[in-house]
Amino acid sequence: MSPKITTELLKQLRQVMKSPKYVQEPVQAYIVPSGDAHQSEYIAPCDCRRAFISGFDGSAGTAIVTEQHAAMWTDGRYFLQAAHQMDNNWTLMKLGLKDTPTQEDWLVSVLPEGSKVGVDPFIIPADQWKRMSKALRSAGHDLVPVKENLIDTIWTDRPQRPCKPLITLDLSYTGVNWRDKIVALRAKMAERKVPWFVVTALDEVAWLFNLRGSDVEYNPVFFAYAIVGMNTIRLFIDGGRMMDPAVREHLQLDSTLEPEFKIQVMPYGSILSELQAVGASLSPKEKVWISDKASYALTEAIPKAYRYLTPYTPICIAKAVKNASETEGMRRAHIKDAVALCELFNWLEKEVPKGTVTEIIAADKAEEFRSQQKDFVELSFATISSTGPNGAIIHYKPVPETNRTLSVNEIYLLDSGAQYKDGTTDVTRTMHFGTPSAYEKECFTYVLKGHIAVSAAIFPNGTKGHLLDSFARSALWDCGLDYLHGTGHGVGSFLNVHEGPCGISYKTFADEPLEAGMIVSDEPGYYEDGSFGIRIENVVLVIPAETKYNFKNRGSLTFEPLTLVPIQTKMIDVNLLTQKECNWVNDYHQKCREVIGAELERQGRHEALQWLIRETEPLIRVQ
Amino acid sequence: MSPKITTELLKQLRQVMKSPKYVQEPVQAYIVPSGDAHQSEYIAPCDCRRAFISGFDGSAGTAIVTEQHAAMWTDGRYFLQAAHQMDNNWTLMKLGLKDTPTQEDWLVSVLPEGSKVGVDPFIIPADQWKRMSKALRSAGHDLVPVKENLIDTIWTDRPQRPCKPLITLDLSYTGVNWRDKIVALRAKMAERKVPWFVVTALDEVAWLFNLRGSDVEYNPVFFAYAIVGMNTIRLFIDGGRMMDPAVREHLQLDSTLEPEFKIQVMPYGSILSELQAVGASLSPKEKVWISDKASYALTEAIPKAYRYLTPYTPICIAKAVKNASETEGMRRAHIKDAVALCELFNWLEKEVPKGTVTEIIAADKAEEFRSQQKDFVELSFATISSTGPNGAIIHYKPVPETNRTLSVNEIYLLDSGAQYKDGTTDVTRTMHFGTPSAYEKECFTYVLKGHIAVSAAIFPNGTKGHLLDSFARSALWDCGLDYLHGTGHGVGSFLNVHEGPCGISYKTFADEPLEAGMIVSDEPGYYEDGSFGIRIENVVLVIPAETKYNFKNRGSLTFEPLTLVPIQTKMIDVNLLTQKECNWVNDYHQKCREVIGAELERQGRHEALQWLIRETEPLIRVQ
């Protein structure tokens, strides 16, 4: 892929940074964060401002442009991709490496005295604003909100904000109707004595009202905000979507409801003024609950003394613990997903040796098989279909310029998933369609040992996921290897494939404790730049564990894999496994054979069933 | 042990909390933190204010007294001890348990509207002040500094502040002379462009000047502060200690030195006014570097805009990485310490069956054997000598009321250590002098597996210690067991037995990365209230590890045990060990036999040598 040429764009941006038309005073630096006004990870094309200005379109990254410099901060998943996509106007700042300066430190080192640093107040989260503003102020600079987004002023063909129809989800999918969710939310608000709550994250709005959308690719969400009071509900949403009779009935907009469940529908753009009005109406001691990651603009709309900020909202926490209907839906979705992947891998096994399958063709074929399954909606993220050296680009997405042909000589890594109406999937398998080298098998086996160490871990109730991260690395560390990304993320239920407040990563400390019903991914890897990438990922459900003893009656937890797709035994050096690890693989494959085998049979997919049976033959450890 | 009766004392304290003689306005609550004006963990008797008011004398705890309530926050090590030592005027707040309120939340729940909460500004760290003040203010209360310590006003027989002679350490112990330490410190200050640095922690003053003292039991420190400028050094210290010719020569007080190494000696009590003078003399952009854990009083002495706060000072970080002289000293100290323990355990093996050895006698005997070793100075902490149910009191110290007799029927736990002029030791061994039950062996073996998992861990350069904590728990977790304390702490070099900035604990996230030369303890445990306690502790040195591969050229680290005392094989259920773990124990015992055996031989301690040889017979795994 060739980098985006940004010389002209940067020149234009530097002009508007000084233009009285857009800024009260010239700004010497302008920050372009990754997110949208909801701090979403996946964003609509109209919000891809950082990609527009830099060319780098990974899911995480912050650009800062000064009069002299342009710099991009991103994490280990994207070092290679960013280096490929950006021209030499840009300096890549590798997060997580010891010598990489923070954005604040870098700004202080390059800015002339008394500089102004601009940012769109709707895009920057309040907590980031606070940290950065403080650091800049203590060095004699100022962080200033720039009302008009400066990227938008130079982005002549910027797409429209999407406004697609909504999907209503009934009780069989959600397990709880939206009014009961409002009741539970108000109970949490009453507990903290906070009479107002602002819903700013798109997946939280969707979850609360049991609605889904398709405004953002891969994430079944829609642009909206909500303000929930103890007796009022305001939903901020645009377009004719509220004219849809199904939506009107679902939200009971035309029914005679108790007044506290009556939803007032308001224009999306009116959130700021409505929130300011709520803020102005508060009596002393009344507060407004808002995420500390909400935008600076919305946070500022609430007078400081009335803000009740928490890192995780009660919706975020409630959403993470799946109820029985959601868990069953997730199980069904993963069975269908496994069927699609058995079909795909069986097809690849036959087609790859012919030399006609490219990364893009394989990704398309995966989507084709998935789309044949019931309640399929769309993919849950851009398929990472990568072979050979492309596998080392951790969040690679094949494009024509990089598209390699799969062969019997290279490792193939497929990280893919889908949205089904009953659940969200995310699975990675690393396959070899020829004969892997001893070294490739060795690395794969270390990654597998890490995957098993997490999946089979037993830990006390109340344990935070970050305490499990090192288990995934131990086998790699023993040989001097590692991977530069976290081990797992929360997964939504027909919602965002990445969600908080739990996860498994050395990078976070403020994650919420794991509890039964939470769903996370388990995905250690190993990547060799220029050679190959290995990752083994299952989505796993947190379940109670039976233990011999029960210290302080705390109870224990463990994981149950929801993903049931064979792990290629050809890639395993079985003599590097302990007997316990070997048994884990065999038990896992036995379950794949039983559960997915039955479904393949039911769907009449006999060839894929034969493939599944071959791929789930027990390992035998010779020692 | 019977609790301290505090009814009268609390009554007196509540009176002075309202007395215009001591407070400008009445305070509705008074906080009594654990530390002294240097935020020391171990404190002099004159500073044991929390123990005086409550009776609870563990090393960590904060008391808060209101008009109606008295509450004590402490951690898992001290739940039992605190419950025993406090009368029922006190409520125990168990830190780390889910339902325990924070001090701030509790205050907000019990205080009448608009209350004032008092605290001694010299005792409370600035970071705690800030957090607590913010929380109280947002609930309508005020945290106020009370100049005169209110405990001191009711403490009629309060001891004098100690002022003992100093010990000077020459280059053979320290590896670096104090002037070179000043040069290195100023280089760090220049790097951050901060022309002033305040040394507030007692061990940092001692380390910087290569001096030791004995003002505080167990910690070879002395009451002093220092202010280091780019061209000046001020040492705040009382008494005739600076008249000692050895000290004068060591500090070159009477030599014609370059002016930037000339030490101005000033009274201990003048630190506040001197620091205020420095603060007032600063030109714009000049800052004063001070730990964010320094007292609120000293921090406030520096105008806010001129403060440069960091969680760890450059001295704290430099002190943690031991140089070759310090490492060699620590090795020598641990060899001597192991000789003393071999003598002790050999003696116990003969004496315990007679029924005449109490916990106190055993502790005294351990001290006696240690004191026979060269350069012995004192113990490094109060010996934890505990048998049977006393072992479950994690930081137990035997006193006549609790003193149990060691027997062949109960587990004995000894956690002890010493200060030698060449190093500091801290070792725990858990022994049975009869026949342990299968359950006791099972628990011991899980703890041993955790100990080995940390000790043998290989991890990348730059890894923080907290990422290793779960390794120590994994075997216990598998069976539903756990322990409620961290796994390891930094250890000073003839300095405090607990020091930052590194450690191994699930509780911290802001620890500094481990690097070669750092020294920490590895001490998992298992405790059953009312029955027994098990802990296995070695002090270990961080060393480079040889690995098969070297990802991103980062290099790897591992640990080398400095402690070389046999781990009782009688307590091990060898069939619960993997072959690798079994080999670790055998290799460790082989090294004990070689290194300590040679020293026992040299010291002519033949009976202890025979004991060592018996105790280091290789384990054989039958499977």
Side-chain angles (χ1 to χ4, degrees), chain A residues 422-434:
Chain A
D422 39 14
T424 303
T425 67
D426 180 1
V427 45
T428 309
R429 287 296 180 265
T430 304
M431 317 281 282
H432 203 294
F433 299 104

PDB file of all heavy atoms in Angstrom, chain A residues 422-434:
ATOM      1  N   ASP A 422     -28.812 -12.775  17.313  1.00  0.00           N
ATOM      2  CA  ASP A 422     -28.728 -13.338  18.668  1.00  0.00           C
ATOM      3  C   ASP A 422     -27.358 -13.222  19.326  1.00  0.00           C
ATOM      4  O   ASP A 422     -27.195 -13.635  20.470  1.00  0.00           O
ATOM      5  CB  ASP A 422     -29.222 -14.796  18.706  1.00  0.00           C
ATOM      6  CG  ASP A 422     -28.800 -15.606  17.504  1.00  0.00           C
ATOM      7  OD1 ASP A 422     -27.911 -15.158  16.747  1.00  0.00           O
ATOM      8  OD2 ASP A 422     -29.350 -16.709  17.310  1.00  0.00           O
ATOM      9  N   GLY A 423     -26.373 -12.682  18.613  1.00  0.00           N
ATOM     10  CA  GLY A 423     -25.079 -12.557  19.280  1.00  0.00           C
ATOM     11  C   GLY A 423     -23.965 -12.098  18.359  1.00  0.00           C
ATOM     12  O   GLY A 423     -24.129 -12.028  17.139  1.00  0.00           O
ATOM     13  N   THR A 424     -22.834 -11.795  18.961  1.00  0.00           N
ATOM     14  CA  THR A 424     -21.677 -11.255  18.263  1.00  0.00           C
ATOM     15  C   THR A 424     -20.528 -12.253  18.386  1.00  0.00           C
ATOM     16  O   THR A 424     -20.299 -12.790  19.473  1.00  0.00           O
ATOM     17  CB  THR A 424     -21.278  -9.917  18.913  1.00  0.00           C
ATOM     18  OG1 THR A 424     -22.408  -9.038  18.872  1.00  0.00           O
ATOM     19  CG2 THR A 424     -20.093  -9.269  18.214  1.00  0.00           C
ATOM     20  N   THR A 425     -19.819 -12.478  17.285  1.00  0.00           N
ATOM     21  CA  THR A 425     -18.701 -13.429  17.340  1.00  0.00           C
ATOM     22  C   THR A 425     -17.395 -12.745  16.942  1.00  0.00           C
ATOM     23  O   THR A 425     -17.394 -11.678  16.310  1.00  0.00           O
ATOM     24  CB  THR A 425     -18.930 -14.633  16.401  1.00  0.00           C
ATOM     25  OG1 THR A 425     -18.892 -14.159  15.041  1.00  0.00           O
ATOM     26  CG2 THR A 425     -20.256 -15.319  16.678  1.00  0.00           C
ATOM     27  N   ASP A 426     -16.286 -13.385  17.336  1.00  0.00           N
ATOM     28  CA  ASP A 426     -14.941 -12.861  17.078  1.00  0.00           C
ATOM     29  C   ASP A 426     -13.999 -14.031  17.315  1.00  0.00           C
ATOM     30  O   ASP A 426     -13.822 -14.468  18.447  1.00  0.00           O
ATOM     31  CB  ASP A 426     -14.645 -11.713  18.067  1.00  0.00           C
ATOM     32  CG  ASP A 426     -13.260 -11.110  17.864  1.00  0.00           C
ATOM     33  OD1 ASP A 426     -12.525 -11.552  16.959  1.00  0.00           O
ATOM     34  OD2 ASP A 426     -12.912 -10.188  18.627  1.00  0.00           O
ATOM     35  N   VAL A 427     -13.409 -14.542  16.261  1.00  0.00           N
ATOM     36  CA  VAL A 427     -12.596 -15.753  16.385  1.00  0.00           C
ATOM     37  C   VAL A 427     -11.358 -15.624  15.503  1.00  0.00           C
ATOM     38  O   VAL A 427     -11.429 -15.077  14.402  1.00  0.00           O
ATOM     39  CB  VAL A 427     -13.436 -17.015  16.013  1.00  0.00           C
ATOM     40  CG1 VAL A 427     -14.231 -16.796  14.749  1.00  0.00           C
ATOM     41  CG2 VAL A 427     -12.564 -18.264  15.852  1.00  0.00           C
ATOM     42  N   THR A 428     -10.236 -16.092  16.009  1.00  0.00           N
ATOM     43  CA  THR A 428      -9.016 -16.121  15.193  1.00  0.00           C
ATOM     44  C   THR A 428      -8.471 -17.539  15.146  1.00  0.00           C
ATOM     45  O   THR A 428      -8.331 -18.194  16.179  1.00  0.00           O
ATOM     46  CB  THR A 428      -7.921 -15.216  15.782  1.00  0.00           C
ATOM     47  OG1 THR A 428      -8.467 -13.918  16.025  1.00  0.00           O
ATOM     48  CG2 THR A 428      -6.747 -15.094  14.814  1.00  0.00           C
ATOM     49  N   ARG A 429      -8.176 -17.988  13.937  1.00  0.00           N
ATOM     50  CA  ARG A 429      -7.485 -19.251  13.770  1.00  0.00           C
ATOM     51  C   ARG A 429      -6.287 -19.023  12.850  1.00  0.00           C
ATOM     52  O   ARG A 429      -6.350 -18.192  11.935  1.00  0.00           O
ATOM     53  CB  ARG A 429      -8.411 -20.324  13.170  1.00  0.00           C
ATOM     54  CG  ARG A 429      -9.458 -20.845  14.147  1.00  0.00           C
ATOM     55  CD  ARG A 429      -8.813 -21.575  15.331  1.00  0.00           C
ATOM     56  NE  ARG A 429      -9.811 -22.077  16.280  1.00  0.00           N
ATOM     57  CZ  ARG A 429     -10.192 -21.405  17.375  1.00  0.00           C
ATOM     58  NH1 ARG A 429      -9.696 -20.206  17.641  1.00  0.00           N
ATOM     59  NH2 ARG A 429     -11.075 -21.940  18.188  1.00  0.00           N
ATOM     60  N   THR A 430      -5.214 -19.730  13.157  1.00  0.00           N
ATOM     61  CA  THR A 430      -3.979 -19.634  12.384  1.00  0.00           C
ATOM     62  C   THR A 430      -3.735 -21.014  11.778  1.00  0.00           C
ATOM     63  O   THR A 430      -3.676 -22.005  12.510  1.00  0.00           O
ATOM     64  CB  THR A 430      -2.818 -19.232  13.309  1.00  0.00           C
ATOM     65  OG1 THR A 430      -3.170 -18.008  13.963  1.00  0.00           O
ATOM     66  CG2 THR A 430      -1.544 -19.034  12.508  1.00  0.00           C
ATOM     67  N   MET A 431      -3.652 -21.062  10.449  1.00  0.00           N
ATOM     68  CA  MET A 431      -3.627 -22.366   9.764  1.00  0.00           C
ATOM     69  C   MET A 431      -2.422 -22.456   8.836  1.00  0.00           C
ATOM     70  O   MET A 431      -1.929 -21.449   8.328  1.00  0.00           O
ATOM     71  CB  MET A 431      -4.872 -22.534   8.877  1.00  0.00           C
ATOM     72  CG  MET A 431      -6.185 -22.103   9.471  1.00  0.00           C
ATOM     73  SD  MET A 431      -6.866 -23.312  10.610  1.00  0.00           S
ATOM     74  CE  MET A 431      -7.535 -24.522   9.456  1.00  0.00           C
ATOM     75  N   HIS A 432      -1.999 -23.672   8.588  1.00  0.00           N
ATOM     76  CA  HIS A 432      -0.992 -23.915   7.552  1.00  0.00           C
ATOM     77  C   HIS A 432      -1.583 -24.965   6.621  1.00  0.00           C
ATOM     78  O   HIS A 432      -2.053 -25.996   7.071  1.00  0.00           O
ATOM     79  CB  HIS A 432       0.312 -24.401   8.184  1.00  0.00           C
ATOM     80  CG  HIS A 432       1.496 -24.147   7.313  1.00  0.00           C
ATOM     81  ND1 HIS A 432       1.670 -24.775   6.099  1.00  0.00           N
ATOM     82  CD2 HIS A 432       2.565 -23.326   7.472  1.00  0.00           C
ATOM     83  CE1 HIS A 432       2.798 -24.340   5.555  1.00  0.00           C
ATOM     84  NE2 HIS A 432       3.365 -23.456   6.360  1.00  0.00           N
ATOM     85  N   PHE A 433      -1.567 -24.668   5.310  1.00  0.00           N
ATOM     86  CA  PHE A 433      -2.173 -25.603   4.360  1.00  0.00           C
ATOM     87  C   PHE A 433      -1.125 -26.487   3.706  1.00  0.00           C
ATOM     88  O   PHE A 433      -1.410 -27.223   2.784  1.00  0.00           O
ATOM     89  CB  PHE A 433      -3.028 -24.852   3.333  1.00  0.00           C
ATOM     90  CG  PHE A 433      -4.153 -24.117   3.994  1.00  0.00           C
ATOM     91  CD1 PHE A 433      -4.116 -22.742   4.170  1.00  0.00           C
ATOM     92  CD2 PHE A 433      -5.245 -24.818   4.484  1.00  0.00           C
ATOM     93  CE1 PHE A 433      -5.142 -22.073   4.800  1.00  0.00           C
ATOM     94  CE2 PHE A 433      -6.283 -24.152   5.126  1.00  0.00           C
ATOM     95  CZ  PHE A 433      -6.239 -22.772   5.286  1.00  0.00           C
ATOM     96  N   GLY A 434       0.136 -26.366   4.176  1.00  0.00           N
ATOM     97  CA  GLY A 434       1.192 -27.269   3.729  1.00  0.00           C
ATOM     98  C   GLY A 434       1.815 -27.898   4.958  1.00  0.00           C
ATOM     99  O   GLY A 434       1.090 -28.408   5.817  1.00  0.00           O
TER     100      GLY A 434
END
